[in-house]
């Protein structure tokens, strides 16, 4: 399975990506995790990304594409993968299409959530983690940015018949069950 998981910040993508990857024996590939690991390890890429993020910018498509392209060549991704946080632009979609060549995506699972509930969840997490910069305004801005950025991507993937919307609200196990049902539907060619 070659999959993408999408959803707004706080939707539970990371938690669900880990569970889905385990269920289908494919790696969960998070560009955010790759960036954070490189920053932590003070690699050349990490220093470059850290400077971009510190300035409030976005990591350029060329850099992100190169990282993802390299990661997809690892042995554990030979039989599939679950991308989290990529693609984020139509340019990245085009690059991914080219990188996958004769083995296109099998599907895109979109976690849909109640925005107010997610904002409350993120505010609670910010309080526990001591993230004083995660205010309600900042969180709502990120939610709006996600919606603006991903709408064109979801439209493109919907045209291809690849999107399965999954209710991301509820207990973690319930959401996982819904995702598995949707992914199995994608595998069978019946988008959920």
């Amino acid at each position: 399975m070659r999959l993408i998981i999408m959803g707004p910040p706080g939707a539970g993508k990371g938690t669900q990506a880990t569970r889905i990857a385990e269920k289908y024996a494919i790696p969960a590939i998070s560009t955010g995790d790759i960036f954070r690991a490189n920053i932590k390890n003070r690699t050349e890429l990490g220093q470059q990304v850290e400077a971009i993020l510190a300035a409030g910018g976005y990591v350029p498509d060329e850099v992100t594409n190169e990282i993802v392209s390299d990661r997809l060549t690892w042995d554990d991704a030979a039989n599939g993968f679950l991308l989290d946080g990529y693609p984020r632009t139509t340019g990245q979609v085009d690059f991914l299409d080219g990188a996958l060549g004769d083995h296109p995506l099998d599907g895109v699972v979109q976690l849909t959530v109640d925005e107010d509930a997610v904002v409350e969840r993120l505010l609670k997490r910010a309080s526990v983690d001591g993230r004083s910069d995660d205010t309600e305004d900042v969180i709502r801005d990120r939610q709006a940015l996600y919606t603006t950025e991903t709408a064109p991507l979801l439209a493109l993937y919907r045209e291809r018949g690849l999107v399965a919307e999954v209710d991301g609200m509820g207990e973690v196990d319930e959401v996982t069950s819904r995702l598995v049902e949707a992914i199995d539907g994608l595998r069978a060619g019946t988008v959920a």
Side-chain angles (χ1 to χ4, degrees):
M1 291 292 297
R2 289 171 178 80
L3 301 167
I4 296 172
I5 188 168
M6 298 179 92
K13 291 184 307 295
T15 299
Q16 294 301 333
T18 300
R19 289 169 156 235
I20 296 305
E22 186 175 306
K23 163 82 176 154
Y24 294 99
I26 55 176
I29 300 171
S30 163
T31 51
D33 288 350
I34 293 170
F35 290 151
R36 284 186 288 279
N38 277 277
I39 290 169
K40 181 181 177 189
N41 294 326
R42 304 299 302 156
T43 66
E44 183 179 329
L45 171 67
Q47 292 176 36
Q48 181 183 0
V49 168
E50 186 175 34
I52 292 166
L53 296 177
Y58 289 107
V59 179
D61 283 359
E62 306 80 54
V63 174
T64 307
N65 289 341
E66 184 179 326
I67 289 168
V68 171
S69 178
D70 174 68
R71 180 61 182 89
L72 293 179
T73 66
W74 294 15
D75 290 343
D76 67 342
N79 295 319
F81 51 81
L82 175 64
L83 292 172
D84 172 8
Y86 182 91
R88 289 190 182 226
T89 67
T90 54
Q92 290 177 359
V93 169
D94 293 342
F95 180 86
L96 181 61
D97 287 346
L100 296 178
D102 295 335
H103 304 286
L105 285 173
D106 294 300
V108 177
V109 286
Q110 177 191 8
L111 284 175
T112 60
V113 293
D114 175 81
E115 184 176 331
D116 291 333
V118 169
V119 169
E120 192 172 310
R121 183 188 307 165
L122 289 174
L123 286 171
K124 185 175 179 181
R125 186 170 77 185
S127 173
V128 170
D129 293 348
R131 298 180 183 186
S132 59
D133 58 329
D134 274 357
T135 65
E136 183 170 347
D137 287 343
V138 168
I139 292 168
R140 288 196 185 275
D141 285 347
R142 285 190 201 129
Q143 300 284 335
L145 183 61
Y146 166 81
T147 301
T148 304
E149 287 182 343
T150 57
L153 306 185
L154 286 167
L156 193 150
Y157 285 130
R158 270 195 192 90
E159 288 174 12
R160 298 179 187 181
L162 294 175
V163 178
E165 286 189 20
V166 176
D167 180 1
M169 300 303 294
E171 295 298 318
V172 174
D173 289 342
E174 293 172 358
V175 176
T176 302
S177 292
R178 288 183 213 129
L179 280 165
V180 168
E181 184 179 334
I183 291 167
D184 288 346
L186 288 165
R187 290 174 85 172
T190 56
V191 177

